[in-house]
Structure formats: structure tokens, C-alpha cells
Amino acid sequence: MERDRAELLRLVGQERQAHLAYDADLLVSSQADGFLSIDKGQVTASSPAESRKMFAGYFGAVRFVAWDDLAPPRIMISDDGTLATVIVEKFVHVTARADPAQQSKRRFAWMETWRKEGGAWRMVALASTDAPWTGPPG
């Protein structure tokens, strides 16, 4: 279990690395085919190629000022070691590339579902929520 926990922490760290490097390929590299996103009252299935295209567009439009944990990720692994849930809380501050005066500061919380396939963890679903940032300026 500890090796699985360490690998899931590494994958969560890879998500941060991908955002700060604007690397859509790295971000979707651990997504399973048929990945499900739950956001804004909708469930959307997408392939890694579709996710890559969406994130490439997003990364091309924003500049990250911050993409930081508000708490350590919470990791729960099934007794049989085949499923895991990771809960994340982030402070995200972006500016628009076209107009850096346009900025957004938001608090995000999401839950990732991971399945071990062929010995590797693959993200199969993500449920996300966000709200305006109400903390101190950052």
C-alpha cells in the first residue's frame, strides 16, 4: 500500500508540474480511455486526445501565478489495491495571456478516482468544484 500511496502522490505532483509547464501531454498521460469528468452539473466522457486538445487550448489562454495545495492530498486505497480515491484542495490564480490585467483567483476541490490497470494507476474519473477565492491576497 505504501508504494501505491507514493505513486499516487507522484502522479498528483505530476499534475501540478504539467499545469506549471503548460504541458497538456503530461497532464493527460495518466488518464484512462473513457475518462469521466463531473463538473458544472454534467458528466462528460473523453479520450486522452480530446482532453489533450481541451487542456492545450486552456494552457494557451492562461498564465499560472499559483497552483498550490491548500491541504495535503487525501489518498484512500481499496483493500484489494485496485482502486483509489484522491481528494485535492487547491488555490489557483491565473491571468489571461491576452490581457494580464484579467485574473481569476479560485479555490478548487476535486476528487479523482484511480484504477490500477496492468500494474499502473490510471485516472478514470474526476469530480470538481470551485468557488471564488476569499482568503488573503496571494
Side-chain angles (χ1 to χ4, degrees):
M1 288 286 181
E2 285 310 309
R3 283 197 350 226
D4 285 328
R5 184 174 306 282
E7 176 62 6
L8 288 161
L9 278 173
R10 185 191 72 75
L11 290 164
V12 169
Q14 182 174 288
E15 293 169 20
R16 183 176 196 280
Q17 177 187 355
H19 276 78
L20 297 179
Y22 308 95
D23 188 340
D25 289 326
L26 180 60
L27 185 62
V28 304
S29 65
S30 59
Q31 282 185 0
D33 286 331
F35 170 78
L36 297 174
S37 174
I38 303 159
D39 189 32
K40 296 179 178 54
Q42 296 185 337
V43 178
T44 306
S46 59
S47 68
E50 291 165 328
S51 292
R52 184 179 299 108
K53 181 178 177 182
M54 187 275 297
F55 276 107
Y58 173 63
F59 289 162
V62 300
R63 185 181 67 78
F64 290 99
V65 178
W67 203 81
D68 300 327
D69 286 329
L70 293 171
R74 295 177 184 107
I75 298 174
M76 295 158 279
I77 302 170
S78 66
D79 290 341
D80 69 359
T82 61
L83 290 172
T85 300
V86 178
I87 297 174
V88 175
E89 295 177 89
K90 294 276 183 199
F91 166 63
V92 178
H93 179 187
V94 298
T95 61
R97 285 186 187 264
D99 180 4
Q102 282 188 339
Q103 59 180 309
S104 173
K105 293 180 183 180
R106 308 222 29 106
R107 178 186 186 99
F108 281 83
W110 65 80
M111 184 169 69
E112 303 171 349
T113 302
W114 293 80
R115 181 176 56 227
K116 195 180 268 188
E117 298 177 353
W121 287 103
R122 310 294 290 166
M123 189 189 305
V124 295
L126 183 138
S128 181
T129 185
D130 66 296
W133 177 250
T134 57

